[in-house]
Amino acid sequence: MAITAAAQRVKVGIAKMKTRLRKLGDTGLKRIMVTSENDVNKAKMMQEICSIPNRRVLMLTHIKELISQNFQKLITLWPDAPVGLYSASLNKKQIGDAITIAGIQSCYKRG
C-alpha cells in the first residue's frame, strides 16, 4: 500500500511539474532549474520534460556512479532517448543532445 501511495505522489508531482514547465515555457523563459529529492524518479522526470517541444535538459550530479546510473535508468525507460554523457571520470564528452547527464566538476572545469 505504501509503495502505491508513493508511486501515485511521484506521478502527480511529475504531472504538476510538466504543467508548470509548459506555462513557464509559454512566458518565453529560456532557462528553468528543476531540483528534486533523492527518491524522485529522475529518468521519468527527464522523459516528461523532453516531451515538451524545443526543451533541453542538463542533469547534474556529483558522483560518477550516479551519472552512470541515471543514464542507464533513462535508457531503460526510454531506449531512443536523445541523451549524451559529459563526465571526465567516465571519459565521455557528448554534448548537443536534448538531454545531457553530466558531472558537476566536469562542467565547472569547462567554464
Side-chain angles (χ1 to χ4, degrees):
M1 189 79 151
I3 294 172
T4 304
Q8 184 62 28
R9 280 196 311 273
V10 168
K11 188 175 181 181
V12 169
I14 288 173
K16 285 182 181 178
M17 177 205 57
K18 188 174 179 182
T19 300
R20 288 180 186 149
L21 285 174
R22 283 188 189 277
K23 287 180 182 177
L24 285 170
D26 290 343
T27 66
L29 286 176
K30 300 265 185 221
R31 295 181 178 99
I32 302 167
M33 184 169 95
V34 178
T35 61
S36 64
E37 290 87 29
N38 293 337
D39 60 346
V40 174
N41 187 341
K42 292 172 192 71
K44 181 66 176 163
M45 196 165 72
M46 283 190 292
Q47 182 183 18
E48 292 297 328
I49 291 170
C50 288
S51 69
I52 301 170
N54 302 317
R55 186 67 55 201
R56 296 183 67 188
V57 176
L58 173 61
M59 182 178 188
L60 295 171
T61 191
H62 63 292
I63 300 171
K64 89 173 175 180
E65 290 80 13
L66 290 177
I67 297 168
S68 181
Q69 181 184 28
N70 289 334
F71 177 79
Q72 292 303 321
K73 282 185 180 179
L74 180 62
I75 293 300
T76 300
L77 182 65
W78 186 11
D80 297 330
V83 63
L85 289 171
Y86 189 84
S87 172
S89 61
L90 295 174
N91 294 321
K92 299 285 184 179
K93 303 276 181 160
Q94 305 162 330
I95 57 174
D97 293 299
I99 304 169
T100 302
I101 301 174
I104 293 170
Q105 288 299 324
S106 294
C107 292
Y108 175 77
K109 289 175 185 172
R110 184 165 191 235

